[in-house]
Amino acid sequence: MDLKIRGKVALVTGSGRGIGAEASRQLAQEGARVVICDIDVETADATAQNLRDEGFEAMAIQCDVCDKDQVQAGIDAVVKEWGGVDILVNNAGFTRDKYLTKMSEEDWDSVVDTILKGAFHFSRAVLPGMMERKWGRIVNIASRSVFGNPGQTNYTTAKLGLVGFTRALALEQARFGITVNAIAPGFIETELMRSLPTYPELREMALARNPVGFLGAPEDIASSVAFLSSEHARYITGITLYVTGGRFSS
């Protein structure tokens, strides 16, 4: 299926590796010019170079999504190079798990700010151009954890807030030809997940609770990102798509 995004400019935050890198790859395979955005400049540069080596158009920017000046500088660089951003994927985020009684304020702020303030800064920066062109796609990466996970009050709060952000922004921007949707992944076997010391136990637990009997890969999320970024999804906005293998709150 031709997703009709050839020539569009797609920026994915937190895309040096994992789900973000795979989403960038699938968007590039559909003909989009992709911007690899990551706080780790070496990882961003390497991922962008890999895509260029495969014949795709890609550039890298270093950015702390919590810093509005860095965000604006990154967008300015993209505008100078390619004219603007048509597709934004707010993917940057991480976990810092602790029970609330042991969670520091920094543990709370770093997780919530990266996920929520990052989406706020980037969306606000790209929307004027999308509104002027009367076309845009924003895809926010939420999580199955919106149903609640012990030890993740910070992460769950931020991801559920991102769902609310998605719904409100979708209503604001619909008249400009801009759709805003969220994707809530379940347990995805990323390189980072496999590096966790508790990975074997986490994997066994997730498999036991997953109705389809296997776990997701970054490609499963990336294909959903690509579709919601496409012209075929023009009548879909304000939704949260659960890509979980059927696992929800259990």
Side-chain angles (χ1 to χ4, degrees), residues 113-132:
D113 284 357
T114 298
I115 293 169
L116 279 180
K117 190 173 285 187
F120 164 72
H121 285 323
F122 264 99
S123 299
R124 189 174 63 166
V126 304
L127 277 169
M130 291 181 176
M131 293 165 72
E132 183 178 347

Side-chain angles (χ1 to χ4, degrees), residues 58-190:
M59 64 180 287
I61 59 173
Q62 180 186 24
C63 183
D64 177 352
V65 299
C66 298
D67 186 322
K68 66 178 184 296
D69 293 330
Q70 288 189 32
V71 170
Q72 190 59 57
I75 296 301
D76 290 344
V78 177
V79 170
K80 182 177 180 180
E81 184 73 17
W82 284 334
V85 174
D86 303 297
I87 298 165
L88 170 66
V89 183
N90 286 310
N91 169 70
F94 58 89
T95 59
R96 193 165 287 178
D97 297 353
K98 291 178 183 175
Y99 283 98
L100 189 65
T101 53
K102 297 181 179 180
M103 185 177 293
S104 69
E105 186 174 354
E106 197 276 331
D107 290 331
W108 179 275
D109 288 346
S110 60
V111 171
V112 173
D113 284 357
T114 298
I115 293 169
L116 279 180
K117 190 173 285 187
F120 164 72
H121 285 323
F122 264 99
S123 299
R124 189 174 63 166
V126 304
L127 277 169
M130 291 181 176
M131 293 165 72
E132 183 178 347
R133 292 187 294 275
K134 303 294 186 191
W135 197 96
R137 299 287 184 267
I138 297 177
V139 181
N140 299 315
I141 305 301
S143 169
R144 189 206 62 83
S145 71
V146 297
F147 295 104
N149 282 332
Q152 289 193 325
T153 53
N154 49 4
Y155 188 74
T156 293
T157 298
K159 291 298 190 179
L160 189 55
L162 197 58
V163 169
F165 177 87
T166 297
R167 291 174 181 171
L169 190 58
L171 295 175
E172 290 182 12
Q173 296 300 320
R175 63 194 177 99
F176 296 105
I178 300 166
T179 66
V180 187
N181 292 294
I183 295 171
F187 190 102
I188 303 299
E189 293 195 283
T190 62

Side-chain angles (χ1 to χ4, degrees), residues 16 36-48 60-63:
I36 306 299
C37 172
D38 205 283
I39 196 169
D40 184 339
V41 66
E42 292 183 0
T43 301
D45 284 338
T47 299
I61 59 173
Q62 180 186 24
C63 183

Side-chain angles (χ1 to χ4, degrees), residues 25 45-58:
R25 178 178 304 281
D45 284 338
T47 299
Q49 186 59 56
N50 287 340
L51 290 173
R52 290 194 293 269
D53 290 344
E54 294 178 38
F56 303 123
E57 292 187 79

Side-chain angles (χ1 to χ4, degrees), residues 235-248:
Y235 201 54
I236 302 171
T237 195
I239 70 154
T240 299
L241 176 64
Y242 290 93
V243 187
T244 66
R247 182 184 173 196
F248 291 92

